[in-house]
Amino acid sequence: MKRILILFWTFFWISSVVMGGGMAMLPILDREFVEKRGWMKPQEMLDVVAVMQSLPGLIIINMAVLIGYRVKGVRGALAAALGAVVTPFVLIAVLARCVALMSGHPMLEHVFLGIRAGTAALILMSLAKLAKSALVGPFAQTLAAASFVAAVVLEVDLTYVVLAGFAAGVALIVAQALRRSRK
């Protein structure tokens, strides 16, 4: 029961204070579930992030369900998802009304500028941490660079970038298996 409460309160707290979506909360989730509690290994967190990003839907909900399930099964998934949803639901309703009333006010524009800057820093921090554990070896580094160029420079649809990455991974596995079978 204690883990279920911790899952609820952790995701409740994260969804209450972290701006910028799922990628911005990764450092907090990693610190909470990998470093602080030891409920997940770094590689497991990386796997959860990979799965979470490939699923449709809100990132925080996907993350809550996947981590909650990993830690405490279906009840953990439900508790984490509920914790992740409560605050945004209430905040969105209140903020929508406030933004409608203050639309175009310079102070509001400055607040959003500050939030965007802080969010960008959190996302860059997550990217640096994930890159250290995910880009191990020349194949992964080359594939990441090619994916970045395809997505950002060539503006290839991300669906095709992910599918190409999947195909490249499968091709690597097949090539390695063929090399082993020849020995």
Side-chain angles (χ1 to χ4, degrees):
M1 185 64 172
K2 183 179 178 186
R3 282 189 179 190
I4 290 175
L5 289 174
I6 290 170
L7 284 165
F8 174 84
W9 285 112
T10 300
F11 279 97
F12 177 82
W13 175 76
I14 289 170
S15 69
S16 299
V17 298
V18 174
M19 301 288 182
M23 297 308 289
M25 72 178 170
L26 285 180
I28 297 167
L29 291 172
D30 188 66
R31 183 174 55 240
E32 188 70 30
F33 296 115
V34 176
E35 296 171 13
K36 182 178 174 184
R37 301 193 188 281
W39 290 355
M40 299 175 75
K41 292 178 174 50
Q43 186 60 44
E44 289 176 309
M45 180 59 81
L46 187 61
D47 292 344
V48 166
V49 170
V51 170
M52 173 264 316
Q53 287 183 311
S54 65
L55 294 174
L58 297 172
I59 291 174
I60 189 166
I61 303 301
N62 292 346
M63 197 67 140
V65 170
L66 286 169
I67 289 176
Y69 187 80
R70 193 83 169 219
V71 170
K72 200 67 179 160
V74 173
R75 293 184 339 175
L78 291 172
L82 183 62
V85 169
V86 171
T87 301
F89 180 78
V90 172
L91 281 178
I92 288 170
V94 170
L95 285 175
R97 182 68 181 141
C98 291
V99 169
L101 293 172
M102 296 179 63
S103 181
H105 194 282
M107 186 176 80
L108 186 63
E109 298 301 322
H110 288 15
V111 167
F112 283 127
L113 179 66
I115 289 172
R116 285 191 299 268
T119 299
L122 286 172
I123 291 171
L124 287 172
M125 190 169 95
S126 297
L127 177 64
K129 192 166 190 170
L130 287 173
K132 285 179 187 175
S133 56
L135 302 180
V136 291
F139 177 78
Q141 293 164 354
T142 303
L143 188 57
S147 298
F148 179 81
V149 169
V152 175
V153 177
L154 303 175
E155 297 181 359
V156 174
D157 186 297
L158 293 179
T159 305
Y160 299 123
V161 174
V162 170
L163 289 174
F166 175 79
V170 169
L172 177 66
I173 291 169
V174 170
Q176 288 174 339
L178 288 173
R179 243 184 272 136
R180 279 193 297 271
S181 69
R182 290 181 184 156
K183 290 182 182 182

